[in-house]
Amino acid sequence: MELNTQPRTPGTGDGRGPLLWKRFKKQKILHLFVGLGMIYLLIFAYTPMFGILMAFKDYSISSGIKGIFTSDWVGLRYFDEFVHDYQFGKLVRNTLVLSLLKVIFAFPAPILLAILLNEVRHMAFKRFVQTVSYLPHFISWVVVVGVSYAFLSADVGVVNRALMGMGFIDEPLSFLTSPNYFWGLAVGSAVWKEMGWWTIIFLAAISGISPSLYEAAQIDGAGRLARIRYITLPGMKGTIVVVLVLTIGSILGGGLVGSNFEQAYLFGNSINNPTSEIVQTYAFRVGLSDGRFSYAAAIDLIQSVISVILIFSSNYIAKRVSGSSLF
């Protein structure tokens, strides 16, 4: 048997040279879309990052963009000021509690809904439930707050009127103003709004599982719960790990189910402030209302650094424990 020992000419089969150019021309529409996406990220995600310099400088809005580079350097002064702020403990507590509650209650919700929908055999009903569950994703938080007011207001809320009419309560409950109800209100509304949207991701993962596995398990006598435990959940493991890593990485901002800032800003008021004021709303208030842009930039930079650490840490742990990871 003779071996072909002639050297391969670039461009004839190794993916370089003329073949690479031909492949590029064949896929030029795809490269165009990728290029537009890269341009978008460059302009709106990477270029504004030079503003991080404000966190280390005594910046004034009157100096314009040039002032970001020419303002006096103050180092870590604003970071130290935030850590020693009298509201620091309350802000960190509210942000962490709200974010952790969302992970505990909001992360399993779409997984459970996807598993339940996968077990539904009536396709018309299944499609109806899917449509109804993911439509709230397209409703803005401003509208959600308006709907919540109509249902939960102490004056005209449908829920309070119904509870009083049935004799469960003697006076209206302050769902929208009491500090005791804010965390439950935020988590509940976030689950309702985003659960159906993320269910689509997990249903796609389930659809990739071979039906023959379910058929074989059913022949062997495995019940519905056993099939879910030993086939469906292991088949979803990779997707669950990736979504969990992304959730933990963005946990301070709201994670899987949307923005903590929008909820705290729109649901928050002077009465429920002890539980609704979080790091993001505080930075927004001192940055725009008080004009302390450098101080606000320092607060947001702290949050961003913590988020980067969390996403790398969670990815490392997930890779060691389950063998699946985001990168």
Side-chain angles (χ1 to χ4, degrees), residues 192-205:
W192 169 79
K193 187 175 185 298
E194 300 294 342
M195 177 177 63
W197 178 258
W198 284 97
T199 299
I200 298 173
I201 305 297
F202 295 110
L203 278 174

Side-chain angles (χ1 to χ4, degrees), residues 1-133:
M1 180 178 180
E2 296 184 1
L3 298 177
N4 185 5
T5 58
Q6 295 181 354
R8 299 176 66 182
T9 303
T12 59
D14 57 358
R16 295 179 294 176
L19 284 183
L20 182 62
W21 176 246
K22 289 181 180 179
R23 186 185 303 171
F24 178 84
K25 290 176 63 177
K26 186 177 181 180
Q27 300 175 343
K28 58 184 178 181
I29 301 299
L30 299 178
H31 286 289
L32 176 62
F33 279 107
V34 172
L36 291 175
M38 293 177 66
I39 293 173
Y40 173 84
L41 289 175
L42 179 64
I43 296 175
F44 295 102
Y46 288 96
T47 303
M49 289 182 69
F50 72 84
I52 291 174
L53 288 172
M54 283 194 298
F56 305 94
K57 296 198 170 190
D58 188 16
Y59 174 75
S60 174
I61 189 65
S62 60
S63 59
I65 295 179
K66 185 176 69 173
I68 298 176
F69 305 98
T70 60
S71 300
D72 295 333
W73 185 270
V74 296
L76 302 177
R77 186 176 81 185
Y78 294 116
F79 297 91
D80 181 73
E81 181 180 347
F82 175 61
V83 172
H84 290 90
D85 191 289
Y86 75 96
Q87 298 187 76
F88 178 77
K90 180 190 76 173
L91 296 171
V92 172
R93 182 204 65 187
N94 292 345
T95 304
L96 290 179
V97 170
L98 182 58
S99 300
L100 289 174
L101 285 175
K102 284 186 176 183
V103 172
I104 294 172
F105 292 101
F107 179 71
I111 300 174
L112 179 61
L113 180 59
I115 293 174
L116 293 176
L117 286 175
N118 185 59
E119 297 298 320
V120 174
R121 295 294 172 258
H122 195 288
M123 296 307 298
F125 177 74
K126 182 178 180 179
R127 286 193 293 268
F128 172 77
V129 172
Q130 278 187 266
T131 303
V132 171
S133 63

Side-chain angles (χ1 to χ4, degrees), residues 7 25 36 63 70-71 90 108 127 134-135 147 189 198 205 207 213 231 245 247 260 272-273 311 322-323:
K25 290 176 63 177
L36 291 175
S63 59
T70 60
S71 300
K90 180 190 76 173
R127 286 193 293 268
Y134 75 68
L135 279 180
V147 173
S189 59
W198 284 97
S207 66
L213 296 176
I231 299 176
V245 170
T247 300
N260 281 348
N272 63 17
N273 181 271
I311 197 169
S322 66

Side-chain angles (χ1 to χ4, degrees), residues 229 244 297:
R229 178 180 178 183
L244 180 60

